[in-house]
Amino acid sequence: MTDFTQLGVKDIRDGVAGGDFTAREVAESFNAAVAAAAELNAFIVTTPDHALAAADAVDAKRAKGESLGKMGGVPIGMKDLFATKGVQTTAASHILEGFKPEYESTVSQNLWDAGAGMLGKLNLDQFAMGSSNETSYFGNVNSPWKKEGTNSAMSPGGSSGGSSSAVAARIAPAATGTDTGGSIRQPAAFTGICGIKPTYGRCSRWGVVAFASSLDQAGPMARSVEDCAIMLEAMAGFDPKDATSLQMDVPNWEAALNADLKGKKVGIPKEYRMDGTDQAILDSWEQGKAMLRDAGAEIVDVSLPHTKYALPAYYIIAPAEASSNLARYDGVRYGLRDLPDGAGLQDMYAATRAAGFGDEVKRRVLIGTYVLSAGFYDAYYTQAQKIRTLVAQDFEKAFAECDVILAPTTPTASFPLGSLDADPLTMYLNDVFAVPASLAGLPAMSVPAMLNPDGLPLGLQLVGKPFDEQGVLDAGLAIQQRAGFEAQPEKWW
Amino acid sequence: MSTYRIQGATGEWEVVIGLEVHAQVTSNAKLFSGASTAFGAEPNTQVSLVDAAMPGMLPVPNRECIRQAVRTGMAIEAQINAWSRFDRKNYFYADLPQGYQISQLYHPIVGEGQLTIEADEKAGIPEDKVIGIERIHVEQDAGKLMHDQHPTMSYVDLNRVGIALMEIVSKPDMRSPAEAGAYVRKLRSILRYVGSCDGNMEEGSMRADVNVSVRKPGEEFGTRTETKNVNSVRFVMQVIEYEANRQVDVLENGGTVDQETRLFDPGTGTTRTMRSKEDAHDYRYFPDPDLLPLELEDSFLEECRASLPELPDAKRARYENELGLTPYNARELTAEVETFGRFETLLAAASAKIGQPEAKVATQVANWALSVAPGVVKSLGDEANMANATAEAQAAILAMQDKGEISGGQAKEIYEIVLKEGGEPEAIADERGLKQVSDTGAIEAKIDEIIAANEDKVAEYRGGKDKLFGFFVGQTMKAMQGKANPAVVNQLLKAKLDG
C-alpha cells in the first residue's frame, strides 16, 4: 500500500481530482496511520468507515465526471467539540460521554458537502478549556514532538491538542480546531503546523459545543498556509441558524493567495515584548520581520497599549460566558445523570455536575459564576467588557498604520505534560499573545517559523483587519516560503 | 383619587399596587426557535433542538415576536427603543433546559408608556385615571413540571419552553383592587385589539405578578410583596384585598412586612410565602453572547405603526362623538374585540339596508346589539342557532322596524323565528302576519268605535285630563291586536280627540 500520509489537503485534492490516486487509497492510508498512533491519544473515537464512505462517494463522483468539491477526497480529523450526527460528541467530558447528537454541526456538514471525510473525533481540553490538552476526561494528548535528548511526553498545546498532534504526526492531513483565546494558534505553534482563526462570525457556531460564545470561532489546522486557505473556504459561510454569523460571501482565498507583500505594511506591537518571553521566541520574531521585509513589506512599529489587560479581561469574560453556557449540562435531558438514592433535583444537579465536569471546567464555572454575581458584576464583568472595547480600539488604531500585525504566537515553546499542573496562572499565560485578537474578533494565524535550540517548533502569529483573512494568509505564505519549515517529529509511537 | 382604604386599628391605610403582566405573544413560532406554539399538544411534541438546549444549539430571534412587542408598545404610547439587547437570567430548574432564560433586563425593547382606566363610580373609580407603564420586555417562557405522573419522579413537558412572552411592567400607580382589575381588563383589551396576545387567562396566555404594599396616606411606600402567576382579574383583586389586609395586620401588630415572593391559593383566596428575600436567586444577568443587539430600522417601525388598528380609547371616542352613542353603549361595545367586530359589521349592513348614514342608525343598531338581540338569544337558550344570527338577517329586521313595518315586539318575534328556524326576515313577516297596520282606514274605524263606546272618557280628556290619551292608545292597539303602527295610531287619535 502506498503511503499517502505525507500529503496535505491540496496534494490530496488535486491528486484525486487528477486521477493520480483514489480517495479510497488515501482514506485507507490515513485510517491505518490513525490506528497505529493510539499512543498519541489524539482521537477519542475513530470513524474509519466514515472516511471510507466519503472517499468512495468522491471516487464515484469522479467516475461520473462530477465536481468533487473543495475538499474532495480529503480525510480530516474533527475536533470533538463539533456535533456529528450519530457519532459520539463529548467535548472531551464525562458529562457528555456517550452522547450521540441527532444533528450535524454546520461547519462539519459544510466539510462533508465539500467532499471531506472523517477519520475520527479528536481529543481536546475538556469543553475547550485548557492550553495543554491535559484537561480531557479521555486522557492527555501527546505531542509527537520530543524535547531533544529527553523522552518526556510533551504538550501538543490546547485546547485543539488532538488536532495539532494528529496533523503534526501525519495521521491526518488537516483537522478542525476551535479558537476561543488561542486554542487553534497555540497548539499549531507548539507542533509546527499552521492554524487560522478567522474573523468572528465567519464560521457558524451552530452545533459547536459552546465554551464562550462571544469568542468561539472554528478554523482549520493543517500543514501549510494553502491547505488552511482551502479548508477555511469549505468551513466558512453565512448560517441563518447562528445570529452572530457574518452575512458575507466567502472569498476565494486559495485562488487569491499572494506572497508578494510590496506596498503592505507590517505592524510590530511593542507591547508584545514581554518579560518572561523566551529568547528563541524573540529571535524568531526578528526573523519573521526580516522575512516579511524580504517579501516586500514595510515594517512599522505600532502600539497596542491595553495588551497587558487583555488576558485578565479574557479570564473574566470567557469563564462568565462558560458558566452560563455549561448550565445546560444538568442531567435532566441527556448525558450523564448521577441520581443518588433519595436525591432531589438540587442533589441530582450537584452530583451530576460534580462527577461530570473536570477540575479545570469547575474552576472556570466557579470563576464565571463569581464574576457575574450581584455585587461583583460591575467590578469584573463590566470592567472586562470595557477593556475588551479598548483592546479592539487599540487594533483599530494600529490598523490605521499597518495592514497586518506580526507577533509571536506563544511566549514559550511546548512544555512537558504535567509540568504546569500546580500552576493554572502560568498555564493561562500561554495565551497572552493570542487573546487580544480573540477579544477583538480579528482573523489571526500561526505559521511555523523555526525550531528552538531544544528542537521544538516555534510559531509566528499574524493578526489581520476584520474580514481580511486574505491579508493574514498572504503574510503567512510569505513566511512559510522563507522559513522553509520542513522539520517533522521523529516517529516514536 | 381612589378612596379605597383599609380600616385598621390605627387608622386608614392606603394600598399601593404595581402589576407585572406576562402576556404570551401571538405567533406561530417560538421566540428563538422555529417550534410551534399551539396550546394543548401532547407533552414534548413541540420542542426543537434549541428549546431542549442540546449542545451547540443557538437562538435566532423571531421577527414576528419582535414586531408584536413593538406594536404593543406603540399601542400604549410608549417609547420604542430602536436599540435593545437580550440578557441571560441564570438559574437552575428542570423546566428551564438552557439553565437560563433569555430576557431583557438592561435594555428593554419598549420603554415608558401608559394606559387610561375609565371612571367607574360603582367600582370606586370616580374619574378616568392614567396608569404609567414602566417598560415592556420580551423573554422566553419555561416548561412545565408534572408531579402526578410517577410515584417518585417528576415529568417535564417542554412544549412551552421558549414561547415568547411580553412582560408588561406597570408603575406602582394603582390604589385599589378595582383599579388593578380595570388595568388588567384594559391592558387585555388593548392586547387583543392589537392582536399581540389572545388574552386567554385560563390557558395561561396572560398572567400577573401582583406587587402590593400598604402605607398611611401621604407617607413613603411600604415594603412590598410580590404574588406570582395570578391568572384571572378576579384573583388579582382577591390577592390585593388579602395581601393589603394581611400587611396591615402585620404592621399594626408591631411586625414588619418581609419583601418576599408569595403564592396565591385560589381555593382559599389567600397567599403564602414562596421564598423570602434571603432565598432570592442571584440571577447573574449578563448580555446573551449568542445574540447581537436588536436594532430596529425605521422602515420596520413604520410598518409596525401602520399596521396598528383603531385602539379602544379612540374607538370609544368615535362611537360617542361621530356615531352619537351614549357613553355607556360606547364603552360596552368597545370593550371586546368580538363585540365591536359584530357591531361594526351589523352597523354597516343596517346602514346599507336602511339607506341612511351609519351615524343616523347607530343608536338603533347599538340598542339592538346590546340589549334586544342578546335578550332574544338568552330567552331561546339552546334553541337559538347562532349560525342564523347573520348581520344581513338582523339588518333586514332593523330596516323593517325603521320603516314602521314592524313593531319592536314583532322585531323580537321575527328574530326568534330566524334564530330557531332560519329564513328571510321579510318573508317571515309577510307569511306569519308579523307586520303592523298603517292603513289609516282600518285604524280610523276602530278609533271611531272606541270613541263611541267611551264618551265619558272623551269628555274627561277634552276637559283637560291629558293622561287619558294613553288609555285610548291602549284600547286602539288592543282592538288592532297589537299590529297597528303606534305612530299612525297616535296621529289619528290626536286628530280625532283634539279636533
Side-chain angles (χ1 to χ4, degrees), chain A residues 99 103 205-208 213 240-244 321 324-325 327-329 333-334 349 353 369 372-374 377 381, chain B residues 49 52-60 88 90 92-94 97-100 106 158 282 284-287 289-290 292:
Chain A
F99 174 68
Y103 48 94
R205 294 184 296 112
W206 194 88
V208 185
S213 311
K241 291 187 288 189
D242 175 358
T244 62
E321 294 183 14
S324 177
N325 282 336
R328 64 187 56 198
Y329 308 109
R333 298 167 313 286
Y334 52 79
Y349 288 153
R353 291 165 66 84
T369 302
L372 290 177
S373 298
Y377 180 82
Y381 188 80
Chain B
L49 295 167
M54 300 304 276
M57 292 300 100
L58 298 172
V60 176
R88 290 184 183 177
N90 295 283
F92 284 94
Y93 202 56
Q98 291 168 147
Y100 52 84
Y106 297 106
L158 300 182
D282 180 351
R284 291 171 283 123
Y285 278 101
F286 76 111
D290 283 331
L292 299 174

Side-chain angles (χ1 to χ4, degrees), chain B residues 310-383:
Chain B
E310 183 180 38
L311 294 167
D313 290 348
K315 192 179 283 294
R316 199 163 69 110
R318 181 168 66 82
Y319 280 13
E320 284 185 37
N321 301 333
E322 294 180 25
L323 298 182
L325 300 186
T326 62
Y328 174 82
N329 279 357
R331 190 169 76 188
E332 289 297 305
L333 286 170
T334 55
E336 289 290 340
V337 175
E338 291 82 2
T339 317
F340 85 70
R342 281 197 299 269
F343 170 70
E344 292 188 356
T345 310
L346 179 56
L347 181 61
S351 162
K353 192 88 182 172
I354 293 169
Q356 293 280 351
E358 290 190 351
K360 283 268 195 268
V361 299
T363 298
Q364 188 195 353
V365 175
N367 289 337
W368 171 267
L370 283 174
S371 80
V372 182
V376 173
V377 171
K378 198 174 169 199
S379 72
L380 287 179
D382 289 346
E383 286 183 79

